[in-house]
Amino acid sequence: PFQSQAQERKRSSNSLEKYGVTTLISTNCVLHKCDWNQTDDTLIVATGENINAFVINKDGKLIGKYKHPDKCYGCQWKIGDPRLFVTGCYDGKVRIFDSGETYNTCLLELMGHTDRTFNVTFSGLRTNYIASSSDDFTVRVWSIQRINHSEAKRGDFTGSCQCVLKGHNDKVRALKWCSELPFILFSGSWDSTIRVWNVDTDECLNVLKGHQADVYQIISHPGRPFRFVSCSRDTTLRVW
């Protein structure tokens, strides 16, 4: 069966090439997240139901595998940095890696979630802030800082939890920072709701109801930051 699956993947890949579609890499696992580095557009990071985060270049060459103790789900490059990325893991921890370092080099572990961490995202306005969503029904906001930094050495990291956002009644999946106000964060949950948070005061500003199932992603309009779209397992897209 493994040979037939490999042959099928090869046939599928060949059939897509005529449309300009290229299979960069086959990891032999389900992949949940990927992110293209906005500073160095040659690098892509991907994570899924595997203990490794994969960093590849746009030609499909494997740059590095970054090992976790369990499956790692979420990933994102640090905005404005060509090498740093964050991951969320089944063990509940949020980790910072440097793609320029040797394999398996974790720079920082952030501990606090009591269940699987599914999604992680850096703020675009406060670029040292990270939000993470978890199966423990919470969202955590973290702040990381570089220490002992010099021109010759990128330095180590320290981090702390800035707030724990409680209110969802089920696992939290979607996360989206507001692109205009640095303290506003949106989250979506298996409880079918979207919550609007002020991370500076730990306050839930609004609960948006309408979906009938899990909310998995939230995206905002590029020119109107309070106009956004959510997608759900209820088969709908909703505009807010």
Side-chain angles (χ1 to χ4, degrees):
F2 294 107
Q3 185 176 6
S4 63
Q5 290 173 12
Q7 291 171 344
E8 179 60 31
R9 284 196 297 269
K10 185 177 180 180
R11 283 195 296 269
S12 299
S13 178
N14 291 338
S15 66
L16 288 170
E17 286 180 357
K18 63 182 179 181
Y19 299 107
V21 178
T22 303
T23 301
L24 288 178
I25 190 173
S26 177
T27 61
N28 296 316
C29 71
V30 175
L31 295 175
H32 290 285
K33 296 284 289 187
C34 59
D35 191 43
W36 209 314
N37 193 311
Q38 300 300 304
T39 305
D40 181 352
D41 66 2
T42 65
L43 296 179
I44 299 163
V45 61
T47 51
E49 295 186 11
N50 189 288
I51 62 172
N52 294 305
F54 301 93
V55 174
I56 60 174
N57 68 16
K58 61 183 180 182
D59 298 318
K61 179 183 177 182
L62 180 66
I63 303 301
K65 293 193 294 186
Y66 300 86
K67 191 175 181 180
H68 295 66
D70 212 323
K71 299 172 184 177
C72 52
Y73 292 93
C75 63
Q76 190 186 54
W77 293 101
K78 186 177 187 296
I79 297 168
D81 193 296
R83 289 169 40 171
L84 292 181
F85 65 93
V86 61
T87 64
C89 184
Y90 199 92
D91 66 1
K93 295 179 182 178
V94 175
R95 291 178 171 85
I96 304 296
F97 289 90
D98 186 336
S99 65
E101 298 289 340
T102 56
Y103 286 13
N104 305 335
T105 301
C106 177
L107 301 182
L108 180 65
E109 290 186 346
L110 300 169
M111 296 174 283
H113 284 300
T114 58
D115 208 331
R116 170 175 56 175
T117 300
F118 195 85
N119 202 4
V120 285
T121 181
F122 275 103
S123 168
L125 299 177
R126 294 174 176 171
T127 57
N128 63 320
Y129 269 45
I130 303 166
S132 58
S133 62
S134 172
D135 287 7
D136 66 9
F137 302 3
T138 71
V139 175
R140 285 180 177 258
V141 176
W142 314 84
S143 175
I144 62 171
Q145 299 291 337
R146 196 188 300 275
I147 56 176
N148 303 323
H149 183 60
S150 67
E151 291 298 322
K153 181 183 177 183
R154 284 174 63 84
D156 300 317
F157 277 88
T158 183
S160 61
C161 182
Q162 299 299 297
C163 64
V164 182
L165 305 176
K166 298 179 179 180
H168 283 298
N169 298 315
D170 211 329
K171 301 172 183 178
V172 189
R173 288 292 179 263
L175 290 172
K176 178 64 178 176
W177 287 100
C178 177
S179 60
E180 183 170 296
L181 299 177
F183 53 86
I184 296 296
L185 177 70
F186 305 97
S187 64
S189 168
W190 277 22
D191 66 12
S192 307
T193 69
I194 295 169
R195 286 181 176 257
V196 185
W197 305 93
N198 181 332
V199 303
D200 286 349
T201 62
D202 305 359
E203 181 184 5
C204 180
L205 303 178
N206 205 347
V207 181
L208 305 178
K209 299 179 180 179
H211 282 298
Q212 304 302 311
D214 322 354
V215 179
Y216 267 89
Q217 189 171 12
I218 301 167
I219 58 171
S220 61
H221 188 282
R224 300 170 63 189
F226 291 97
R227 185 75 161 173
F228 56 93
V229 175
S230 57
C231 65
S232 168
R233 200 154 62 175
D234 67 8
T235 73
T236 68
L237 293 168
R238 290 179 182 263
V239 181
W240 307 85

